[in-house]
Amino acid sequence: MNEFHNPVMLTESISSLNINQNGIYVDATFGGGGHSKEILKQLNNEGRLIVFDQDSEAILKNKIIDDRVIVMNKNFRYLKNCLMSVGINKIDGIIADLGVSSYQINTERGFSFNSKVELDMRMNTSASLSAQEVLNKYNKENLCRILKEHADFSNSQNLSEKIISYRKENYIKFSEDLLNLFSGCFYVPKKNQFFARIFQAIRIEVNDEINALKDLLSASLNVLKPKGRLVVISYHSTEDRVVKTFMKFGQFEAFAKKDFFGNQFRPFSLVSKKPIIPSSEEMNLNNRSRSAKMRVAEKNRII
Ligand SMILES: C[S@@+](CC[C@H](N)C(=O)[O-])C[C@H]1O[C@@H](n2cnc3c(N)ncnc32)[C@H](O)[C@@H]1O
């Protein structure tokens, strides 16, 4: 067990990358470096690994001393430009293990409803938008949007009204404020699931996670070589829908574009039609892995 973060579906994800030992790979979500270390074991001296994490603590606490590694303390949405900045145009594979690490959940940044700390939820601590800003400044329409789109709440109107009415008298600052303002809004035995979804909605908004994911996927189209692999592990349905649609259609609309001659544009082949999920042993050992879904696609040769 790793104190920082236990990598999810480590064996399955690395074998899905189908590593070519002198290839160039990107770990878009370095975290505790679990997936990166495994990739490095399979690369020879000519192979390269470029790792991204927007959280400088992840990068500082898990230093990898290895000449084959290039570290980018950047958002993965800038993949293409970051690669160009180090003279790389094409790569052999990308792995993205989305969301937050166990370390981040346990920090004092308010990612978890179990800690009595100020709400922040920024992965990149120099970013401007924090959870407090979302909760205290967003209008009703935007609050509804995030609760609905990022956490599938069907009663997003009602929940948004609760936030707005509470903040007329109080500034929403601590995770406890959320526990108070939503009291009575959930079925008690499902309290943890309810707050997990509320926190997820706010975190996704604060870190602009869905748009960053779309940018990463769009960039993968440009940077992956033919036969290059895209491996994405997601933890909730909104992310998984985006990944599934993109791998199938090469865009975020669920239909295939056609060229002048009526040929469908299919830039990827699915390596497995269904998402891969962790084994029951892994789910028992690592609670966080329970919601994981991995999708794998291979870049086609585009003429
Ligand atoms: C689930 S953890 C990855 C764990 C890692 N695979 C391991 O084995 O330790 C996700 C990491 O990705 C980072 N992250 C999430 N979204 C990001 C983004 N858009 N750009 C860069 N890093 C991101 C988070 O800061 C976090 O450290």
Side-chain angles (χ1 to χ4, degrees):
M1 287 289 187
N2 180 324
E3 267 182 31
F4 196 96
H5 185 85
N6 279 319
V8 169
M9 285 189 273
L10 185 60
T11 312
E12 299 88 329
S13 58
I14 301 306
S15 74
S16 298
L17 270 177
N18 202 16
I19 293 179
N20 149 14
Q21 55 179 356
N22 53 7
I24 307 177
Y25 290 85
V26 164
D27 180 353
T29 50
F30 177 68
H35 289 100
S36 283
K37 283 178 202 147
E38 223 41 52
I39 295 172
L40 283 169
K41 283 188 196 160
Q42 299 202 22
L43 293 179
N44 65 18
N45 278 342
E46 280 169 30
R48 292 286 172 271
L49 174 67
I50 301 94
V51 305
F52 285 75
D53 206 299
Q54 60 177 331
D55 187 340
S56 46
E57 281 189 24
I59 303 271
L60 289 172
K61 287 189 181 286
N62 300 298
K63 279 203 178 109
I64 293 192
I65 317 265
D66 190 310
D67 291 344
R68 298 169 299 172
V69 179
I70 300 175
V71 179
M72 299 273 178
N73 182 195
K74 300 273 184 217
N75 194 308
F76 58 52
R77 69 191 319 166
Y78 306 120
L79 175 74
K80 189 169 175 220
N81 284 347
C82 289
L83 291 179
M84 273 166 55
S85 73
V86 290
I88 295 173
N89 290 321
K90 294 284 174 201
I91 59 175
D92 296 273
I94 302 173
I95 180 166
D97 173 23
L98 302 170
V100 276
S101 63
S102 309
Y103 173 83
Q104 286 167 322
I105 292 176
N106 297 329
T107 54
E108 307 262 288
R109 289 190 232 158
F111 282 109
S112 160
F113 54 92
N114 291 321
S115 55
K116 294 185 176 171
V117 293
E118 277 196 34
L119 293 160
D120 178 333
M121 301 198 198
R122 287 171 304 165
M123 294 187 208
N124 168 3
T125 51
S126 355
S128 54
L129 186 66
S130 77
Q132 288 181 39
E133 195 155 339
V134 168
L135 287 161
N136 291 289
K137 302 220 171 114
Y138 268 30
N139 62 19
K140 187 173 160 197
E141 193 187 352
N142 274 324
L143 289 170
C144 279
R145 174 183 59 78
I146 70 169
L147 291 165
K148 196 161 180 250
E149 288 183 7
H150 303 339
D152 288 326
F153 277 109
S154 53
N155 57 343
S156 58
Q157 293 270 353
N158 181 356
L159 298 175
S160 311
E161 277 159 18
K162 290 271 178 198
I163 298 174
I164 288 174
S165 124
Y166 185 88
R167 76 191 191 193
K168 282 187 185 142
E169 307 281 330
N170 312 271
Y171 180 78
I172 304 169
K173 189 166 186 176
F174 297 101
S175 34
E176 276 170 305
D177 289 313
L178 288 179
L179 299 186
N180 289 335
L181 80 88
F182 286 124
S183 68
C185 292
F186 50 87
Y187 173 52
V188 175
K190 299 257 173 185
K191 179 179 170 197
N192 285 356
Q193 284 102 313
F194 173 84
F195 281 108
R197 284 168 69 199
I198 294 281
F199 274 63
Q200 171 183 302
I202 304 164
R203 192 203 80 212
I204 291 177
E205 181 67 13
V206 166
N207 297 287
D208 198 17
E209 291 177 38
I210 302 302
N211 289 322
L213 172 61
K214 287 182 173 174
D215 289 346
L216 172 75
L217 296 173
S218 301
S220 74
L221 257 183
N222 289 310
V223 299
L224 278 172
K225 293 178 189 167
K227 293 206 157 289
R229 291 276 175 106
L230 176 60
V231 176
V232 185
I233 306 174
S234 59
Y235 294 88
H236 56 84
S237 55
T238 316
E239 269 173 358
D240 183 56
R241 266 196 303 271
V242 170
V243 176
K244 181 180 171 187
T245 307
F246 185 80
M247 287 183 172
K248 199 159 173 202
F249 301 108
Q251 59 173 4
F252 304 107
E253 309 285 338
F255 64 88
K257 279 190 277 186
K258 286 189 180 161
D259 68 13
F260 181 75
F261 303 102
N263 302 315
Q264 289 192 342
F265 174 68
R266 297 254 188 205
F268 291 103
S269 297
L270 302 181
V271 172
S272 76
K273 289 227 161 41
K274 293 224 158 129
I276 298 160
I277 58 168
S279 63
S280 44
E281 285 99 309
E282 179 169 5
M283 288 194 200
N284 288 336
L285 279 172
N286 181 2
N287 203 27
R288 192 189 131 77
S289 72
R290 288 170 181 260
S291 53
K293 279 187 179 165
M294 180 170 78
R295 294 194 184 265
V296 184
E298 187 170 284
K299 174 91 182 288
N300 293 331
R301 191 173 294 281
I302 299 171
I303 304 144

